[in-house]
Amino acid sequence: MSDRPRRARKQKATVASSNVHYVGYVEDAESVEAIMKKFEELERIQKEFSNMGVKNHIMQVKSRPLTEEQLQEVFKRTSAFTVKTVTMDSRAADEMDALELWQVENKDGNTDEIYEEEDYIHVDDDFWDVEFGEMPRPKRIRKGQTSSEKVIRRSVDRETILARYKIMQVQVQDRNGNYLLVKKRVSTMDPSLPTYVKIPGRPIPQSWAHNIMTHSLYTVDRILSTDLRQFGTSYSAVYMDPPLLLPGELHVPGKIHIDDLAKLNVPNVVSAGFLFVWLEKEWLQRIVNIASSWGFKYVENFCWIKKDINNQIHKSHYKYFNKSKLSLLIFRKEGNVELRHQRNADCVFDFVKPLLPDEVTEPKPSFVYSVIETLLPNAVYHSDTNAEGRGLLELWAKKGHRRKGWTTVVEQ
């Protein structure tokens, strides 16, 4: 049998007590100062009654007692309570707040609704079993209804109820590079359903207007023969993945020699900033000389440690050691550039991805974009500080690749 508390019975109507019986009553919580104030008020009332022909003391009845109307006036001016609050159960009064006390005083001391609320708070396990559909819920009959007018409650399955309280944890990264776990309520709405948006009439308020950032994507026949100034002249970083031929490698359509890389007019688009270049270790010395001719100095490198699909380190044949990594050399051209200290590692473990039919260089880890954007916060697109998104330039990007805030140049 369920231990679920039953609804409290309604209190029987009681005869309301008169205020006359509580003249001079003092509550336990009243202070001495409050009691003295009552005596002062009594003296003023005594004078008023004396002027009206009442000669006797208020609290002493000698020849003629005070009328009920006069006692009502005494109670009204000397008492800070009501008869309803005094006659109420002290335990019930302690559990009520100011609003509930006010409701009781205005409902002739009836506490039925207050007690009925407990029925929805104190529940046992059987209650939840019934709610979640594990036990048949008994049918209830409203007052005044016959058995043929029973209200049939619509059944709700367990999954529907649990879906209301599903949440998921999402890992997000703030501007400082810190990762946080955020709890997000899972939406049970069908995404295929249409969504209706009410658009205000003309003129549309400015709060509805949003800046639309267009992706700057350019396709050229040959990047080496392209004047980079047509894309902008105030970039903070140039990121490139040139398709370089290795020493002794035969000519391959789409690839270039390391010496041809010097034809780019990179100094004309970067007055002060950084240069990021992917290349094999055979060309380390040569790329340092080319970058030096552009006015850049070597400052750092980022390493991609390659992994195979079996989660083992990738190995490519070479005359000294097997090649298992690829370097991203970082050069800097001195000037006023704001840098943000980052706690990212100088290497990343990522899998080797297969080449597509029209690609001549292997896809690089996308994590590099986050490293560059963290290092150069003012170069990233922002609606106020960098509305045009002309801070980051990428050369030899993959076809179809776009990234917000970047100017992407693709070679056909």
Side-chain angles (χ1 to χ4, degrees):
M1 184 175 179
S2 173
D3 296 328
R4 182 178 177 182
R6 299 180 179 275
R7 189 183 302 274
R9 296 180 180 179
K10 293 188 176 181
Q11 297 177 346
K12 296 181 180 180
T14 57
V15 179
S17 301
S18 174
N19 297 340
V20 176
H21 301 97
Y22 290 90
V23 173
Y25 180 83
V26 178
E27 293 183 298
D28 296 336
E30 287 193 62
S31 62
V32 178
E33 291 78 6
I35 297 175
M36 297 305 297
K37 291 289 185 181
K38 288 187 176 183
F39 282 109
E40 295 176 2
E41 186 65 25
L42 284 172
E43 293 179 0
R44 285 193 291 268
I45 297 175
Q46 183 181 7
K47 294 179 181 180
E48 293 179 7
F49 288 169
S50 299
N51 297 332
M52 296 171 58
V54 179
K55 305 292 183 180
N56 299 324
H57 194 276
I58 297 177
M59 305 305 298
Q60 297 178 355
V61 181
K62 294 184 179 180
S63 60
R64 180 183 178 186
L66 297 177
T67 63
E68 185 174 352
E69 182 180 355
Q70 292 172 342
L71 290 175
Q72 291 280 3
E73 181 67 20
V74 173
F75 178 84
K76 179 180 178 182
R77 295 172 60 175
T78 61
S79 301
F81 57 88
T82 62
V83 177
K84 296 177 184 178
T85 57
V86 174
T87 57
M88 190 187 308
D89 186 1
S90 60
R91 290 177 298 177
D94 293 339
E95 296 176 357
M96 296 180 186
D97 55 18
L99 178 60
E100 292 172 339
L101 287 173
W102 178 85
Q103 292 175 344
V104 170
E105 292 182 8
N106 289 272
K107 293 181 181 179
D108 297 329
N110 188 2
T111 58
D112 292 340
E113 295 186 6
I114 306 300
Y115 292 133
E116 286 182 8
E117 188 175 343
E118 299 293 331
D119 182 47
Y120 301 96
I121 297 177
H122 302 289
V123 296
D124 54 7
D125 296 337
D126 296 341
F127 173 79
W128 295 113
D129 293 339
V130 172
E131 287 293 329
F132 284 93
E134 294 184 357
M135 295 177 59
R137 187 175 182 86
K139 298 179 180 179
R140 297 183 178 180
I141 305 176
R142 296 181 179 178
K143 292 183 179 180
Q145 284 185 328
T146 61
S147 58
S148 60
E149 298 176 350
K150 295 180 180 179
V151 179
I152 301 177
R153 181 180 177 180
R154 184 177 59 183
S155 61
V156 181
D157 60 346
R158 186 186 186 92
E159 295 298 328
T160 303
I161 297 177
L162 291 177
R164 301 176 186 173
Y165 306 99
K166 285 185 178 180
I167 60 174
M168 63 182 297
Q169 290 186 342
V170 183
Q171 189 178 30
V172 297
Q173 185 180 14
D174 60 8
R175 295 181 178 179
N176 298 325
N178 302 320
Y179 288 92
L180 306 172
L181 278 177
V182 178
K183 290 185 178 180
K184 182 180 180 182
R185 186 177 295 277
V186 179
S187 176
T188 57
M189 184 179 298
D190 187 359
S192 61
L193 296 177
T195 303
Y196 299 94
V197 179
K198 185 177 180 180
I199 301 177
R202 293 185 179 181
I204 297 179
Q206 189 175 0
S207 59
W208 275 71
H210 298 278
N211 293 327
I212 300 176
M213 174 59 194
T214 58
H215 299 276
S216 300
L217 177 62
Y218 301 94
T219 302
V220 297
D221 295 333
R222 184 174 173 82
I223 294 180
L224 291 178
S225 58
T226 301
D227 186 4
L228 301 180
R229 289 176 295 183
Q230 63 179 303
F231 310 124
T233 58
S234 59
Y235 290 100
S236 299
V238 175
Y239 170 63
M240 65 176 68
D241 182 20
L244 300 176
L245 290 168
L246 295 176
E249 184 181 2
L250 298 177
H251 178 72
V252 177
K255 288 193 173 184
I256 60 175
H257 194 268
I258 184 65
D259 294 333
D260 296 334
L261 198 62
K263 300 178 182 179
L264 289 173
N265 58 339
V266 174
N268 297 331
V269 297
V270 180
S271 57
F274 287 83
L275 174 65
F276 301 85
V277 185
W278 284 107
L279 80 164
E280 299 285 353
K281 55 185 176 182
E282 292 90 336
W283 299 123
L284 289 178
Q285 183 177 359
R286 192 72 63 86
I287 193 64
V288 170
N289 295 333
I290 296 175
S292 180
S293 65
W294 289 338
F296 290 85
K297 294 182 180 179
Y298 169 80
V299 292
E300 184 60 278
N301 70 86
F302 186 84
C303 185
W304 168 30
I305 301 176
K306 302 179 180 180
K307 297 177 66 177
D308 291 327
I309 57 175
N310 59 359
N311 209 29
Q312 299 296 319
I313 300 298
H314 176 78
K315 296 179 181 179
S316 298
H317 178 72
Y318 193 61
K319 57 182 178 180
Y320 297 113
F321 296 100
N322 289 327
K323 294 197 299 185
S324 301
K325 63 182 178 61
L326 190 65
S327 299
L328 176 69
L329 297 190
I330 305 174
F331 303 88
R332 179 176 182 179
K333 190 174 184 180
E334 294 297 334
N336 186 15
V337 180
E338 181 179 349
L339 300 179
R340 175 181 293 171
H341 176 69
Q342 56 177 306
R343 303 187 183 277
N344 294 322
D346 59 355
C347 62
V348 62
F349 290 81
D350 201 357
F351 293 96
V352 177
K353 301 176 180 62
L355 292 176
L356 296 179
D358 57 344
E359 293 180 343
V360 292
T361 58
E362 55 190 346
K364 304 303 186 294
S366 59
F367 178 70
V368 176
Y369 294 102
S370 300
V371 173
I372 298 175
E373 292 171 354
T374 304
L375 182 66
L376 302 170
N378 288 343
V380 181
Y381 166 77
H382 192 276
S383 58
D384 297 331
T385 59
N386 188 15
E388 296 182 358
R390 297 289 183 178
L392 303 171
L393 175 65
E394 181 180 5
L395 303 178
W396 284 286
K398 301 299 180 183
K399 292 183 178 180
H401 171 74
R402 294 183 180 183
R403 188 172 180 88
K404 183 179 179 180
W406 285 72
T407 301
T408 305
V409 182
V410 180
E411 189 176 72
Q412 286 185 342

